Amino acid sequence: MNSGPLTSPPSATGGSPGRSDPFGLAQTLYAHRRWNEAEQLCRSILGRQADHPGVLSLLGIMFAQTGRSAEAAEILGRAAECLPDNPAAHINYGNVLRDLGRIQDALACYERAIRLQPEHAEAHYNRGVALYSLAQHDAALTSFARALELNPDHAEAWNNRGVVLREQERLLEALESHERAVAARPNHASAHNNCGAVLHELQRYEEALAGFDRAIALRPEYADAHANRGATLRSLRQLDAALESCDRALAIDPRSADAHFTRGMILHDARRFSDALSSFNQALRLGRRDPETYRCHGGVLEALGHQEEAIASYAVALAAYRQIRFLRGDYRHARMCMNDWADFETDLLRMVGAVQRGDALAPPFVLLSLLDAPALQRRAAEIYVRELSPKVPLAPLAAHPRHEKIRLGYFSADLRNHAVAMLAAELFELHDRS
């Protein structure tokens, strides 16, 4: 998620900066990116006036923008003490504290800024970013909404609101939010990339590609956009082009674990299992240790005949799956498929209790294979819909004139090469069309 920009330091007043206005000259040097000279002049001023709030703010911002976060925090903290009633000073201090991972301290700074100026859009926006970092997603959305009430053209607030909505699987709302970010700032590369990512999840692959291409046109060295483009090309079965996109992403950022993982998936599809294994190994080494990576790692090891290593990778994946909603039931089902019946009764009692409480522990199809209890199976289906269905109302159905005969329609996500669809074919054939 993008962090908020540092607020600009207070402007100098008066005429042209010169010897009589060293702070104004420091600002001019900063504006022309002559930062070494600006820093030397700021330090000289502080040697004579240690609590000059404008100089402290300017120096702290320069430190933050050049990656010297610890020094920036010390200087901007002093600036905030000198400017206790200035919201911008507290926002600047909060931003650098957030960069240092001190999220709760940063949140306190933003909330102080809001108390000082309740209609400060940037303070509400940054509060939303901090709340997102603390996984308080609903509260983050509330802060972004307030920022957007105060500044409807706040592109970063629209973009980051979309990020949160996407994590909540509210994909259509997320797409609309990213599109609003693009409308507010057409050259916003991250918003174009995020539009593409949501469109990919919606399986609108050609539109997703267009989003990634726009992001790359704006920022050619955008590694994530190249990797995302590779994932979408893989979904379109354009494996050579997909691999080329991932290789481009890794040329830009060799430490992108996600790009290594996507590259491994493409190579797996191309049945280049040894190369895929190298990519998955790299993804794991670089810190991508989620269950899906271990599962895919185990898959290529199995394809290469390394059975013991494959079992070890699958074991890590399954152990992790047990901690994720619904996947405890999938884990039990996978063990049944492996003829592993250890702890079966205990696991079954745990799942029944979870479903009765309304917990997301077992998906409905898993329960069909475990017990014959229609009421529990219905309850499991209700929980599944509650947790995983998009929180978007269906569009109203168009009205059609009445006909003499009843018209039947069948709706399914997979009326294709699927067992149930094949078994249903005769049902359609045997309808009495009279």
Side-chain angles (χ1 to χ4, degrees), residues 76-214:
L76 290 173
R78 286 168 55 190
E81 290 177 2
C82 293
L83 297 166
D85 298 324
N86 186 315
H90 296 291
I91 293 170
N92 285 338
Y93 187 34
N95 285 346
V96 75
L97 290 172
R98 191 176 70 231
D99 290 343
L100 290 168
R102 294 169 56 183
I103 308 299
Q104 291 286 2
D105 293 335
L107 185 60
C109 289
Y110 303 139
E111 291 178 342
R112 182 168 181 179
I114 290 168
R115 287 195 298 273
L116 290 167
Q117 188 176 338
E119 297 193 351
H120 199 302
E122 206 62 36
H124 287 283
Y125 163 71
N126 282 287
R127 180 176 183 271
V129 175
L131 289 165
Y132 172 82
S133 299
L134 295 169
Q136 297 181 32
H137 292 171
D138 289 337
L141 287 175
T142 300
S143 279
F144 291 142
R146 182 62 179 139
L148 289 165
E149 285 177 16
L150 296 165
N151 179 8
D153 294 325
H154 198 307
E156 293 296 349
W158 282 118
N159 192 40
N160 288 337
R161 177 178 179 271
V163 171
V164 180
L165 290 167
R166 181 183 170 205
E167 290 203 11
Q168 293 185 335
E169 299 179 7
R170 296 160 62 180
L171 296 182
L172 295 179
E173 293 174 86
L175 179 60
E176 180 188 10
S177 203
H178 292 311
E179 288 174 340
R180 291 291 298 269
V182 169
R185 193 194 306 166
N187 65 348
H188 197 316
S190 174
H192 285 291
N193 176 64
N194 287 336
C195 277
V198 176
L199 288 163
H200 176 96
E201 290 193 37
L202 291 168
Q203 298 182 20
R204 292 161 58 179
Y205 297 128
E206 296 292 348
E207 295 172 82
L209 274 183
F212 299 137
D213 287 342
R214 283 190 288 269

Side-chain angles (χ1 to χ4, degrees), residues 303-320:
L304 290 166
H306 305 320
Q307 302 299 333
E308 293 298 323
E309 295 171 74
I311 289 170
S313 239
Y314 285 144
V316 175
L318 288 174

Side-chain angles (χ1 to χ4, degrees), residues 30-351:
Y30 167 80
H32 287 85
R33 302 187 68 83
R34 293 165 61 180
W35 288 355
N36 287 335
E37 296 169 75
E39 179 181 340
Q40 291 173 11
L41 184 53
C42 285
R43 290 187 180 281
S44 173
I45 298 168
L46 291 175
R48 299 189 299 274
Q49 185 181 347
D51 59 351
H52 190 302
V55 173
L56 289 168
S57 296
L58 179 61
L59 188 59
I61 287 169
M62 284 191 290
F63 286 162
Q65 291 176 336
T66 53
R68 298 156 67 180
S69 298
E71 293 174 87
E74 190 270 327
I75 293 290
L76 290 173
R78 286 168 55 190
E81 290 177 2
C82 293
L83 297 166
D85 298 324
N86 186 315
H90 296 291
I91 293 170
N92 285 338
Y93 187 34
N95 285 346
V96 75
L97 290 172
R98 191 176 70 231
D99 290 343
L100 290 168
R102 294 169 56 183
I103 308 299
Q104 291 286 2
D105 293 335
L107 185 60
C109 289
Y110 303 139
E111 291 178 342
R112 182 168 181 179
I114 290 168
R115 287 195 298 273
L116 290 167
Q117 188 176 338
E119 297 193 351
H120 199 302
E122 206 62 36
H124 287 283
Y125 163 71
N126 282 287
R127 180 176 183 271
V129 175
L131 289 165
Y132 172 82
S133 299
L134 295 169
Q136 297 181 32
H137 292 171
D138 289 337
L141 287 175
T142 300
S143 279
F144 291 142
R146 182 62 179 139
L148 289 165
E149 285 177 16
L150 296 165
N151 179 8
D153 294 325
H154 198 307
E156 293 296 349
W158 282 118
N159 192 40
N160 288 337
R161 177 178 179 271
V163 171
V164 180
L165 290 167
R166 181 183 170 205
E167 290 203 11
Q168 293 185 335
E169 299 179 7
R170 296 160 62 180
L171 296 182
L172 295 179
E173 293 174 86
L175 179 60
E176 180 188 10
S177 203
H178 292 311
E179 288 174 340
R180 291 291 298 269
V182 169
R185 193 194 306 166
N187 65 348
H188 197 316
S190 174
H192 285 291
N193 176 64
N194 287 336
C195 277
V198 176
L199 288 163
H200 176 96
E201 290 193 37
L202 291 168
Q203 298 182 20
R204 292 161 58 179
Y205 297 128
E206 296 292 348
E207 295 172 82
L209 274 183
F212 299 137
D213 287 342
R214 283 190 288 269
I216 291 166
L218 290 164
R219 195 195 306 172
E221 300 299 298
Y222 196 165
D224 286 348
H226 285 284
N228 287 339
R229 184 175 185 273
T232 298
L233 287 166
R234 172 182 175 251
S235 295
L236 291 168
R237 310 309 300 160
Q238 299 178 32
L239 298 186
D240 290 340
L243 189 60
E244 183 180 342
S245 278
C246 279
D247 287 343
R248 177 65 182 140
L250 290 168
I252 297 166
D253 181 9
R255 297 190 60 78
S256 171
D258 288 342
H260 282 291
F261 173 78
T262 301
R263 186 174 187 273
M265 297 290 285
I266 296 163
L267 292 165
H268 176 273
D269 290 354
R271 303 188 66 79
R272 293 170 53 182
F273 297 126
S274 293
D275 294 333
L277 179 60
S278 296
S279 287
F280 290 137
N281 283 338
Q282 278 288 85
L284 289 167
R285 272 195 290 271
L286 291 168
R288 183 174 167 132
R289 299 180 177 275
D290 59 295
E292 182 69 5
T293 304
Y294 278 107
R295 186 187 67 79
C296 295
H297 184 250
V300 293
L301 286 166
E302 185 176 4
L304 290 166
H306 305 320
Q307 302 299 333
E308 293 298 323
E309 295 171 74
I311 289 170
S313 239
Y314 285 144
V316 175
L318 288 174
Y321 279 143
R322 295 179 71 175
Q323 308 304 318
I324 302 174
R325 61 179 181 172
F326 291 118
L327 290 173
R328 185 63 178 268
D330 284 333
Y331 173 70
R332 176 70 263 176
H333 187 262
R335 290 177 64 190
M336 290 164 61
C337 293
M338 297 165 63
N339 202 29
D340 177 359
W341 299 93
D343 303 320
F344 176 79
E345 296 295 338
T346 301
D347 282 349
L348 187 58
L349 287 172
R350 184 180 292 116
M351 278 185 277

